[in-house]
Amino acid sequence: MSKESSIVYRTVSDVSGPLLIVENTHNVSYNEVVKIRAPSGELMTGTVLETGRGRAVIQVFEGTRGLDTDLTAVRFTGETLKLPVSTEILGRVLDGSGQPLDKGPPLTAEDHWDIYGSPINPYARQYPRQPIQTGLSVIDGLNTLVRGQKLPIFSGSGLPHNRIAAQIVRQAKIPGEEGDFAIVFAAMGITATEAQYFMNSFEETGALEHTALFLNLANDPAIERIITPRAALTAAEYLAYESEMHVLVILTDMTNYAEALREISAARSEVPGRRGYPGYLYTDLSLIYERAGRIHGRRGTITQMPILSMPQDDMTHPIPDLSGYITEGQMIVGRGLHRRGIYPPIDPGPSLSRLMKEGIGEGMTRFDHKEVQAQLYYAYSEGRDLRDLVAVVGSEALTERDQKYLKFADKFEGEFINQGEYEDRSFEQTLDIGWNLLSDFPDRELKRCDPSTISWAKDRGAYKPR
Amino acid sequence: MTEETGRIQSISGPVVKCGGLPSVRMYEVVRVGHEQLIGEVIEVAEKSCTVQVYEETSGLAPGEPVVATGDTLSVELGPGLLGSIYDGIQRPLPDLRELSGDFITRGLTVEGLDKEKKWKFTPSVKAGDRVEAGDILGEIPETGIITSRILVPAGVKGEIVEIVSKGDYTVVETICKVKDDHGDVHEVRMMQRTPVRVGRPFKDRVGMDTPLVTGQRVIDTFMPQAKGGTGAIPGGFGTGKTVTLHQFAKWADAQVVVYVGCGERGNEMTEALEEWPDLKDPKSGRPLMERTVLIANTSNMPVAAREASIYVAVTIAEYFRDQGFDVALMADSTSRWAEALREISGRLGQLPSEEGYPAYLGSRLAQFYERGGRVKTLASEERLGSITLCGAVSPPGGDFSEPVTQATLRIVKVFWALDKDLAARRFFPAINTLTSYSLYHQTLERWHREHLGEDWPELVTEAMALLQKDQELREIVQLVGPDALPESERAILEAARMIKEDFLTQSALHEIDTFCPVGKTYRMLKIIVNFAKQMSKAVETGVGVRRILEFSVLDNIARMKITPWDSYEKTMDAIEKKMAREFQSLSAEPDGSSVMTPGVVQ
């Protein structure tokens, strides 16, 4: 179907926003790559968004600055966008569309893969069941991350999501099994300082040599952000499914990606959905997120951790909302916790890991994990509710039981959630801290735990009711 | 219909315009491009038609051929459906994997049913019998749970001139010949092809007087579903829509389950595929997968096929209904289906109505839900079958005022409202008992009284009243603190707490608690409501709530949930006795009065 054509069109009829419209075209296919030469001689790349009746609408990744209707030359390549893939991509720094930014040689290619990928056959998927130990109690203990999961971090401006992501990258491992591990990092519209922070952090731990970076920074063309996550995931798929590596993909910041999508949609005057985002935002995001997973008969896995900032901390904003419907849970960075000086300020209330239930327990983390998790959750949310009450009636009005829960909530935040940026806790440690905090309550208050588990914890010395 | 070839004129996402097909009709299936992608005509104009393509359209170019097939979008119905997993247009996913590997590529053609597999057919009619549409010709033990019946197809009526003897046949072999009154002979095969966009015919709708027992206490008690009923589960992400639907699919007492994952996560389908074959049906002890048909159009699969998947699923459900089974269909999520409608409509340039959805959203939803119901099927004998429809709705931002939720609520009779606050406290199932409702309470009352206990409706009303009162008191407590309440009201708070924690919360992950036989639900509810009544009486006589909370029977009550399915009766009897004893002990104490005046809970 390849038809590398030598025909150069100079029939641009319209340039508007990120779009270019070419007339009198023949046989242009949907989504094919277009090479554009600006009057200044600059070369640009785009893809076809719409074709037919001798007309093609093209989105230009570099932006349309400098293009005109007179001298601009357009050539259709007959190919969809492809990324050269090989393991050599590790250790490289690339731009948002996969061109080398560092001083290294051009990318060598084992193969060229279509960056749009193909959906994984649900029948070929294998359910993610291996827990990843991040070393953060609030994640490992309450909302465990699993290999092959897509678990986003919902954050807001001014919150330490980057520090959390960097700590996870530093510490993430599967206890007792050190496999080939790689990181693919895709930056969309983040600042150079933030990108530098990540690079330094990777370098510090020696992670840089097994990391591939795709950088589209804040001052890079916005439309290029449409392909950055796709190029990054294509590289990840190669590493996972061909080279049998466990790949952690960090996508930051998905909000910028969605805004680029909105820009194109608006330029095409499509009917907008909520807040001006296109109606297909859900489908589009799912094409990215659903590329995480595990496949039967292949050793490698893709775990995704997209980071997105919620405008105004509003979780009902279309970007976090639609993401939450696709991803397998979410980590919410809470401003309240952050202000109280708790790090990592991940708020257990609205945070959730959907795949946790299959990834914890006997043989994976520890047999009591489910019960401890349920009990901690119960006690903490009781305590949080009482805080609201105390604000109105004062703490003297509470019963003795309620006082205990109130105190528990504070201790839980201070000792369980709170930990150092370089503190790496094992699953065992995390669960024992949990039991220790539950020691404030008598046995019969622990309704979420089996009596046999409680006595096991007593024997272990982890649970010492006072 | 002769094969015609047209040409692609323009392409925009899944929507393709083509010309040169003058006699193409609405909803006809066409093959698009050199790769022969499957598409369906959704708009016909004088010189062109618009096609929605069920596969990814990248690389498609104007000028490529489009071939009309003369067929409308149809499914293959027959033995072999149970235990299968299909994509949105009934292509078996295992076969696709064999053809194209772990990733789904384009232009693959696979048929829904295996044409080579032989099935053990036992005829139940003989030559010379008169039959009409819907009559049973014979049976096939399709799986360990379901013996499927081969029916005379719609539109066929007459005398059997030939029927094969007992033996093994494929689904495409002729098993029977029927001569109608005009002397025409119809050949009947086990497989039928049925268009998906119109419902299969039936005789009559009948009343819905039997509940679909789901094994979920909160649902079976407060908002029961009827066999043949319709229900919706709206909720923001993380509130447990999918878990609830999975629980239905696993434990509901339907005979056949059709589960359609429409625009949702791939791993959720994988979970079903990996887990359900290992789960045993509580009644037959056979793997649950043997009664299940899965349809997976995950969110990253083509949008247009998502629109079709719902129709494919409901047509398969109707096929089993016509055999006289009680079928439950779970659709997760109807919002994604509505969004597919919106996307296609937008690409067609149709005038949008609310939030960009097309104006026909409401009527399409209604058409879908109206295909549910309990009916007398076609057939000379009287046979009843039902389809219960349960759809998840994913409202943006968890806001129920959005168009899909509202359009759905106008149609469905049961509303299970999922609550984000409950989910955040890990109170599962996070169904808000006060805002949810079922309109089947009255029609199901007789069944409940007969099968559970005469006092069932009263118990439900009393428990609900306690929860309602609890809600009101909590607002006061928020303002003045719990100490300001009189003892009688604190007793209500405690009773409501017991209902919520010891009865309503149910763990989908616990091996016993995941399913609660409805008889056990009844006993549990009765114990808790009785406890609440006696507590209220005792408090009236001056006993402190704190004293009652020291009862050791409370520990037994808290662990009622995890008493085994088959031996709960004994445990419940023991709890009732112990409870009576402990309340008795109160009156023996000097501070309690020995005379208890009968009182009711307000």
Side-chain angles (χ1 to χ4, degrees):
Chain A
M1 127 139 277
S2 170
K3 55 172 165 65
E4 182 81 28
S5 83
S6 50
I7 305 173
V8 174
Y9 292 95
R10 285 181 191 278
T11 48
V12 174
S13 68
D14 225 330
V15 186
S16 82
L19 303 183
L20 190 69
I21 295 160
V22 187
E23 304 284 345
N24 301 324
T25 55
H26 291 286
N27 269 351
V28 169
S29 31
Y30 178 64
N31 245 348
E32 84 175 273
V33 177
V34 185
K35 299 282 181 201
I36 302 148
R37 201 175 64 238
S40 62
E42 190 191 347
L43 274 177
M44 298 178 176
T45 315
T47 56
V48 175
L49 284 181
E50 209 177 298
T51 168
R53 299 208 186 82
R55 186 166 173 270
V57 178
I58 297 160
Q59 58 177 348
V60 186
F61 297 133
E62 288 84 351
T64 47
R65 186 169 1 144
L67 298 186
D68 66 357
T69 54
D70 189 20
L71 293 170
T72 302
V74 176
R75 189 170 59 83
F76 295 92
T77 62
E79 295 264 328
T80 50
L81 260 183
K82 294 207 158 77
L83 183 81
V85 285
S86 74
T87 46
E88 319 244 305
I89 205 164
L90 293 175
R92 300 296 302 268
V93 182
L94 311 166
D95 73 2
S97 48
Q99 307 295 327
L101 270 185
D102 51 14
K103 297 188 178 66
L107 285 181
T108 51
E110 295 284 326
D111 202 351
H112 285 81
W113 282 18
D114 184 354
I115 65 157
Y116 291 94
S118 295
I120 302 179
N121 187 332
Y123 186 74
R125 276 184 191 271
Q126 200 180 359
Y127 199 73
R129 286 203 172 83
Q130 306 153 296
I132 297 179
Q133 180 180 302
T134 63
L136 294 170
S137 291
V138 65
I139 296 178
D140 293 350
L142 301 179
N143 285 300
T144 318
L145 175 68
V146 188
R147 260 187 193 168
Q149 185 176 18
K150 36 193 181 297
L151 189 64
I153 298 179
F154 288 3
S155 188
S157 38
L159 293 175
H161 45 268
N162 289 340
R163 279 162 60 200
I164 298 172
Q167 187 172 3
I168 291 171
V169 168
R170 275 199 306 269
Q171 299 179 174
K173 60 177 152 296
I174 294 186
E177 186 196 325
E178 313 302 329
D180 285 328
F181 188 67
I183 299 163
V184 173
F185 181 85
M188 290 158 282
I190 64 170
T191 61
T193 333
E194 286 170 309
Q196 199 58 47
Y197 170 78
F198 277 107
M199 278 164 72
N200 288 345
S201 160
F202 296 156
E203 211 157 0
E204 220 175 282
T205 50
L208 197 58
E209 64 212 51
H210 48 98
T211 303
L213 288 109
F214 290 75
L215 297 181
N216 169 287
L217 299 183
N219 55 348
D220 287 335
I223 305 307
E224 195 182 69
R225 282 166 210 163
I226 303 288
I227 49 175
T228 308
R230 297 190 159 85
L233 283 162
T234 306
E237 279 170 3
Y238 181 85
L239 296 172
Y241 302 138
E242 293 293 318
S243 312
E244 306 199 325
M245 292 182 172
H246 296 290
V247 188
L248 177 65
V249 183
I250 295 187
L251 306 167
T252 176
D253 175 326
M254 288 305 288
T255 306
N256 296 332
Y257 168 83
E259 270 165 13
L261 204 64
R262 175 166 70 175
E263 192 179 331
I264 291 173
S265 170
R268 297 176 68 188
S269 26
E270 289 172 331
V271 180
R274 275 205 311 152
R275 304 232 188 154
Y277 290 95
Y280 49 81
L281 181 61
Y282 175 83
T283 307
D284 195 278
L285 288 174
S286 72
L287 289 172
I288 294 174
Y289 295 142
E290 280 288 332
R291 287 170 84 171
R294 249 178 114 193
I295 293 180
H296 275 293
R298 302 194 192 224
R299 274 197 55 224
T301 55
I302 297 181
T303 310
Q304 273 189 29
M305 194 163 256
I307 299 174
L308 53 92
S309 48
M310 301 182 280
Q312 286 272 306
D313 291 354
D314 174 11
M315 233 216 288
T316 65
H317 185 278
I319 301 168
D321 188 51
L322 295 178
S323 296
Y325 275 118
I326 307 163
T327 55
E328 283 135 355
Q330 64 278 331
M331 292 289 144
I332 312 274
V333 185
R335 209 169 282 279
L337 284 173
H338 180 58
R339 285 201 188 115
R340 284 204 289 282
I342 310 281
Y343 174 88
I346 292 175
D347 186 349
S351 297
L352 171 72
S353 163
R354 291 163 183 270
L355 302 186
M356 166 181 195
K357 58 183 194 298
E358 294 283 331
I360 61 170
E362 185 82 65
M364 286 169 294
T365 55
R366 208 167 77 182
F367 87 98
D368 58 328
H369 195 155
K370 275 177 203 172
E371 295 165 51
V372 179
Q373 187 246 13
Q375 193 64 56
L376 289 172
Y377 249 111
Y378 174 80
Y380 181 56
S381 65
E382 280 284 304
R384 289 254 296 233
D385 283 354
L386 288 164
R387 267 189 202 157
D388 298 341
L389 184 61
V390 167
V392 182
V393 298
S395 60
E396 296 79 19
L398 297 186
T399 61
E400 194 189 337
R401 171 189 178 276
D402 289 354
Q403 296 275 13
K404 277 186 181 162
Y405 278 101
L406 192 64
K407 239 184 262 156
F408 173 84
D410 291 335
K411 272 174 82 175
F412 182 76
E413 285 173 3
E415 292 170 32
F416 189 88
I417 301 183
N418 195 31
Q419 70 183 80
E421 215 171 323
Y422 287 86
E423 186 183 350
D424 189 358
R425 293 181 187 162
S426 69
F427 280 121
E428 296 260 317
Q429 285 170 320
T430 292
L431 294 175
D432 286 344
I433 294 174
W435 276 114
N436 185 29
L437 291 170
L438 289 174
S439 300
D440 286 348
F441 303 110
D443 297 23
R444 62 179 291 190
E445 213 36 70
L446 306 187
K447 288 190 184 172
R448 303 286 199 273
C449 298
D450 201 80
S452 63
T453 314
I454 295 176
S455 59
W456 174 87
K458 272 186 194 158
D459 292 345
R460 194 184 157 78
Y463 172 59
K464 306 177 283 276
R466 294 183 253 275
Chain B
M1 192 98 344
T2 53
E3 279 204 355
E4 293 181 316
T5 307
R7 296 279 159 201
I8 297 179
Q9 290 177 341
S10 70
I11 305 147
S12 160
V15 174
V16 170
K17 263 206 159 68
C18 46
L21 288 170
S23 61
V24 80
R25 291 171 307 178
M26 269 304 260
Y27 296 120
E28 185 169 337
V29 171
V30 293
R31 295 303 196 127
V32 180
H34 297 301
E35 288 182 88
Q36 302 223 319
L37 310 182
I38 302 165
E40 193 183 22
V41 176
I42 49 170
E43 212 174 61
V44 180
E46 199 177 347
K47 288 211 172 95
S48 67
C49 64
T50 310
V51 173
Q52 59 176 350
V53 181
Y54 291 135
E55 298 177 72
E56 172 61 45
T57 52
S58 287
L60 216 57
E64 288 191 33
V66 181
V67 182
T69 61
D71 228 351
T72 52
L73 189 64
S74 306
V75 284
E76 297 186 343
L77 302 173
L81 288 169
L82 293 170
S84 297
I85 175 163
Y86 293 111
D87 79 348
I89 46 176
Q90 213 208 4
R91 295 184 300 182
L93 289 175
D95 294 2
L96 288 182
R97 186 174 182 215
E98 219 144 84
L99 279 176
S100 74
D102 295 337
F103 298 88
I104 298 176
T105 52
R106 299 182 299 166
L108 305 171
T109 310
V110 195
E111 290 175 329
L113 292 181
D114 188 340
K115 303 288 156 34
E116 270 140 44
K117 180 160 183 181
K118 297 223 174 201
W119 297 93
K120 200 174 279 303
F121 175 73
T122 313
S124 54
V125 291
K126 52 187 188 308
D129 286 357
R130 279 198 69 79
V131 290
E132 59 178 86
D135 282 350
I136 297 171
L137 292 175
E139 291 188 333
I140 283 178
E142 190 174 338
T143 65
I145 300 181
I146 298 292
T147 301
S148 46
R149 297 150 182 167
I150 304 300
L151 307 179
V152 177
V156 175
K157 182 179 182 179
E159 188 190 316
I160 292 180
V161 288
E162 212 181 304
I163 176 110
V164 293
S165 53
K166 184 174 175 173
D168 294 346
Y169 302 94
T170 66
V171 293
V172 287
E173 281 176 77
T174 303
I175 51 159
C176 176
K177 287 182 182 161
V178 181
K179 190 162 86 180
D180 66 18
D181 297 343
H182 306 291
D184 295 336
V185 174
H186 298 267
E187 294 189 348
V188 178
R189 297 173 180 80
M190 288 196 248
M191 187 188 90
Q192 304 176 5
R193 281 183 69 84
T194 312
V196 300
R197 293 194 188 271
V198 283
R200 282 167 60 98
F202 54 85
K203 257 194 216 147
D204 250 328
R205 285 185 188 270
V206 294
M208 295 173 246
D209 51 14
T210 321
L212 181 84
V213 177
T214 61
Q216 310 303 305
R217 285 186 294 270
V218 55
I219 288 167
D220 291 341
T221 310
F222 291 117
M223 37 315 240
Q225 174 65 289
K227 284 199 170 118
T230 50
I233 311 181
F237 61 82
T239 49
K241 291 182 298 295
T242 304
V243 177
T244 311
L245 284 186
H246 276 198
Q247 288 296 88
F248 284 7
K250 286 190 238 174
W251 306 116
D253 67 343
Q255 288 158 300
V256 175
V257 170
V258 181
Y259 190 96
V260 46
C262 174
E264 289 288 312
R265 303 178 183 90
N267 276 331
E268 287 171 358
M269 297 315 291
T270 310
E271 183 184 8
L273 271 175
E274 290 188 6
E275 187 189 18
W276 296 0
D278 294 336
L279 285 172
K280 302 273 182 283
D281 177 32
K283 275 190 298 257
S284 63
R286 302 284 308 173
L288 280 173
M289 206 52 203
E290 293 191 353
R291 64 164 198 182
T292 310
V293 184
L294 288 175
I295 295 172
N297 179 276
T298 56
S299 55
N300 54 343
M301 285 157 85
V303 167
R306 194 180 301 167
E307 196 261 345
S309 64
I310 291 274
Y311 294 106
V312 167
V314 75
T315 311
I316 291 175
E318 284 171 346
Y319 165 74
F320 287 106
R321 174 202 69 190
D322 290 346
Q323 298 178 37
F325 293 119
D326 290 316
V327 186
L329 187 150
M330 323 294 164
D332 184 16
S333 145
T334 56
S335 290
R336 305 299 162 224
W337 173 76
E339 281 164 13
L341 283 184
R342 172 167 76 182
E343 183 168 343
I344 305 282
S345 151
R347 304 237 188 215
L348 290 176
Q350 291 169 339
L351 210 57
S353 90
E354 226 179 321
E355 294 205 12
Y357 286 103
Y360 47 79
L361 171 70
S363 59
R364 288 284 176 88
L365 273 170
Q367 278 166 15
F368 164 66
Y369 279 108
E370 276 304 288
R371 287 175 77 169
R374 189 152 181 253
V375 303
K376 253 186 222 153
T377 64
L378 294 182
S380 43
E381 53 162 1
E382 176 153 324
R383 189 164 65 225
L384 295 178
S386 70
I387 298 180
T388 313
L389 290 178
C390 301
V393 184
S394 321
D399 171 13
F400 290 173
S401 67
E402 59 95 37
V404 182
T405 314
Q406 286 306 313
T408 306
L409 286 185
R410 285 200 293 274
I411 311 158
V412 298
K413 297 287 188 287
V414 186
F415 171 52
W416 298 291
L418 294 172
D419 191 314
K420 211 158 195 151
D421 290 339
L422 292 177
R425 303 144 152 275
R426 301 302 190 265
F427 185 100
F428 286 117
I431 296 176
N432 185 323
T433 36
L434 299 177
T435 50
S436 306
Y437 59 79
S438 163
L439 300 181
Y440 294 122
H441 274 297
Q442 276 78 31
T443 46
L444 298 177
E445 195 176 310
R446 239 184 78 193
W447 189 96
H448 279 135
R449 283 192 197 275
E450 274 171 24
H451 291 81
L452 297 178
E454 260 314 302
D455 53 347
W456 172 263
E458 288 72 38
L459 289 176
V460 172
T461 318
E462 275 166 38
M464 193 53 133
L466 281 172
L467 291 172
Q468 177 63 44
K469 187 80 190 159
D470 171 69
Q471 166 87 355
E472 291 163 25
L473 290 177
R474 275 176 178 276
E475 280 165 25
I476 301 173
V477 169
Q478 284 294 327
L479 289 177
V480 298
D483 277 349
L485 292 183
E487 282 290 291
S488 63
E489 294 191 332
R490 297 179 71 160
I492 292 174
L493 286 182
E494 287 305 327
R497 196 212 294 258
M498 281 171 72
I499 296 178
K500 285 191 272 189
E501 280 177 21
D502 302 336
F503 182 75
L504 291 181
T505 50
Q506 185 170 359
S507 165
L509 306 177
H510 191 281
E511 49 178 342
I512 291 172
D513 199 24
T514 181
F515 169 70
C516 189
V518 68
K520 182 177 157 188
T521 301
Y522 166 70
R523 293 295 302 267
M524 288 174 69
L525 184 67
K526 189 166 176 165
I527 286 174
I528 293 180
V529 170
N530 273 338
F531 190 95
K533 275 194 212 163
Q534 299 205 30
M535 175 158 63
S536 150
K537 269 191 234 164
V539 166
E540 265 176 39
T541 60
V543 181
V545 173
R546 245 170 238 204
R547 168 77 190 82
I548 298 174
L549 291 183
E550 282 162 15
F551 282 3
S552 69
V553 73
L554 284 174
D555 289 342
N556 303 82
I557 291 178
R559 301 200 195 278
M560 283 193 297
K561 292 178 192 181
I562 52 173
T563 50
W565 302 338
D566 41 6
S567 58
Y568 61 84
E569 297 278 3
K570 234 188 274 164
T571 318
M572 302 290 166
D573 291 344
I575 292 177
E576 276 176 352
K577 271 191 210 121
K578 188 170 176 188
M579 187 165 102
R581 229 178 16 248
E582 292 197 281
F583 273 106
Q584 283 284 307
S585 72
L586 283 182
S587 48
E589 284 169 25
D591 59 330
S593 147
S594 55
V595 194
M596 285 193 191
T597 45
V600 278
V601 182
Q602 301 84 58

